[in-house]
Amino acid sequence: GGVHFLSDASGALRELQHPGQQAAVDMWIAARADSFIGTQESRFTAHIQLERGWLGQPRASTEREFCKSWVEGSTLCMAPGYRHTARRGSQHDAMRL
């Protein structure tokens, strides 16, 4: 796989009339990606991590976060456990489409 950006999709951004629509598309893509690394204290990250848990994504592909501050030799920054629930939502089956 590679890194892809929504802005690279021909004309896709012109179809989104409101900034919230682009955020929703970004979250939808991030929730279904092979892996996701968010940022600490971000609500955007928290919602993506929750959605990934509901979709049944592996915890290891979701729990890493960029640290607010990190000192070499310290532990990696990880999301709180409650953000990746074992309880799956109804959208879990929809992901397989």
Side-chain angles (χ1 to χ4, degrees):
V3 176
H4 303 279
F5 296 92
L6 181 59
S7 59
D8 294 339
S10 178
L13 290 177
R14 286 190 295 266
E15 299 296 322
L16 304 175
Q17 301 296 318
H18 188 276
Q21 289 176 314
Q22 183 174 350
V25 169
D26 289 342
M27 290 177 77
W28 191 92
I29 292 169
R32 286 152 180 82
D34 291 336
S35 63
F36 174 75
I37 301 175
T39 55
Q40 287 185 323
E41 301 179 12
S42 166
R43 289 183 184 176
F44 197 77
T45 291
H47 288 285
I48 291 169
Q49 289 168 335
L50 283 169
E51 180 78 12
R52 289 177 65 82
W54 293 329
L55 290 170
Q57 296 282 22
R59 179 184 291 261
S61 72
T62 302
E63 65 187 355
R64 298 264 317 264
E65 292 184 339
F66 290 110
C67 302
K68 188 173 180 180
S69 60
W70 185 75
V71 177
E72 189 163 345
S74 64
T75 60
L76 297 174
C77 295
M78 302 294 214
Y82 64 82
R83 287 196 191 156
H84 198 280
T85 178
R87 183 177 160 261
R88 294 183 175 150
S90 59
Q91 63 273 54
H92 175 70
D93 294 327
M95 186 181 151
R96 299 191 193 282
L97 298 177

